[in-house]
Amino acid sequence: MPGTRDLVAPVAYVRCPVKATPISTCQRILDFYGEDYKGMRLEDLVRTVKTAVIEHATKALVIDDITRLKLHREADQDVLDLIREMMSMPVTLILVGVGIPTSGLLREGRRDPKTQEWIYEPVKDRGRSPNDHAASQHERRFQVVDLGPFRYVTPAGMEAWMAHLRRLEGELRLLTSTTGMLTEGDMPEYLFNRTKGVVGILEKLVQHGCRRAIKDKSERLTKELLNQFTVTPDDMPDLDAGSGEQPNIPPHEPTQKKQSRGRNTVFDDDGPAAADAG
């Protein structure tokens, strides 16, 4: 109904806390639904999560940054127990993370060069955890799907990259026409070289470029403008470096902004600065 909160949420998306506990994980899920959990104990939180999933008709629960869980922490083992309990709910669990096969969540794994499937070695060290079978239980219940960065080698890979850039063009909020701004000429290859096909780096590069294009009133993304800066890990403060979430950023040496002749105003990241080049 107009003016009310949506009751149907087919897909729920949450991010795993950096140092997760079963309580904080449940709270993240309930935050998505806007449910009140003040003063609830763990068993009440779990029951409320199950009720919310059912009442909102959620069919897929996506938990991102799952590799923040480390098996040497007892609290993380408890979170894995909680996730396994969620498997009994009428919802598909989708766990997203960087380097899941080698993270230990499904036990240490290696890729078979012939079949390209992940192979997991037998458990060798039970450790001190009260639940030393957690990883193997998840291995049997989950299917690993690789989503690597875009490639720019084969025609199919190039077209997939172009399709993503075309979609991104439609989301740009610049005053000039954005059609072809990221897809014409050698811009696609340039953007790939700057990002190596990693969506997160591309996002930050385009965001910075749009800010500069708005400040200098050009309202257009060009290679000359994008060359003036580089993306750094500081641009991704919400990604946990210890869990391997921060991607490897291709090196880039920023170029100097070209100043036009005459009296004008030059903008930089710290704000406007008057320049007189008479």
Side-chain angles (χ1 to χ4, degrees), residues 9-248:
V11 178
Y13 173 88
V14 298
R15 299 185 66 182
C16 181
V18 175
K19 291 186 177 180
T21 65
I23 289 178
S24 64
T25 303
C26 288
Q27 290 174 342
R28 284 286 180 93
I29 297 174
L30 294 177
D31 282 337
F32 173 86
Y33 292 113
E35 298 284 350
D36 182 23
Y37 52 78
K38 185 177 180 180
M40 287 188 181
R41 299 172 302 173
L42 177 58
E43 50 267 34
D44 298 325
L45 290 169
V46 173
R47 182 170 58 253
T48 305
V49 166
K50 292 181 178 180
T51 301
V53 167
I54 295 174
E55 291 188 346
H56 290 270
T58 300
K59 301 303 179 184
L61 173 59
V62 183
I63 303 180
D64 203 351
D65 300 328
I66 195 63
T67 45
R68 290 177 175 178
L69 299 180
K70 307 299 181 184
L71 291 184
H72 66 272
R73 294 182 65 244
E74 184 174 340
D76 290 353
Q77 290 273 5
D78 293 337
V79 174
L80 287 177
D81 288 340
L82 172 65
I83 292 175
R84 192 176 69 255
E85 185 175 350
M86 292 180 180
M87 295 177 187
S88 62
M89 297 189 301
V91 64
T92 299
L93 283 176
I94 303 175
L95 309 182
V96 183
V98 178
I100 288 180
T102 57
S103 66
L105 293 176
L106 303 176
R107 290 196 281 132
E108 294 295 328
R110 60 179 178 85
R111 188 188 293 275
D112 188 300
K114 294 183 179 180
T115 64
Q116 294 301 308
E117 295 182 352
W118 286 98
I119 300 176
Y120 299 96
E121 300 297 333
V123 178
K124 298 179 181 179
D125 182 10
R126 299 295 185 184
R128 300 179 179 179
S129 169
N131 184 7
D132 47 17
H133 297 283
S136 61
Q137 289 171 342
H138 283 78
E139 170 203 343
R140 292 193 298 268
R141 299 184 186 209
F142 282 95
Q143 177 182 357
V144 179
V145 179
D146 277 329
L147 286 177
F150 283 97
R151 303 296 181 186
Y152 204 72
V153 179
T154 64
M158 294 180 182
E159 177 54 34
W161 178 246
M162 292 290 290
H164 183 72
L165 294 181
R166 282 193 292 268
R167 182 69 178 267
L168 187 58
E169 282 180 347
E171 301 294 332
L172 298 180
R173 294 297 180 260
L174 298 174
L175 294 180
T176 58
S177 174
T178 61
T179 302
M181 190 175 291
L182 304 180
T183 55
E184 292 183 351
D186 59 352
M187 182 63 88
E189 185 174 357
Y190 169 83
L191 292 174
F192 184 84
N193 290 333
R194 287 291 305 272
T195 65
K196 296 306 179 184
V198 178
V199 174
I201 302 177
L202 176 66
E203 175 188 345
K204 295 302 179 181
L205 183 68
V206 171
Q207 283 180 352
H208 281 316
C210 287
R211 292 191 185 102
R212 295 195 176 213
I214 292 172
K215 286 182 177 180
D216 66 16
K217 299 183 180 180
S218 65
E219 297 288 339
R220 186 167 185 82
L221 297 179
T222 64
K223 290 192 299 182
E224 290 73 18
L225 183 144
L226 296 177
N227 277 334
Q228 296 170 14
F229 62 92
T230 185
V231 178
T232 68
D234 293 337
D235 297 318
M236 308 174 185
D238 56 336
L239 299 183
D240 181 35
S243 299
E245 295 172 8
Q246 290 186 347
N248 293 324

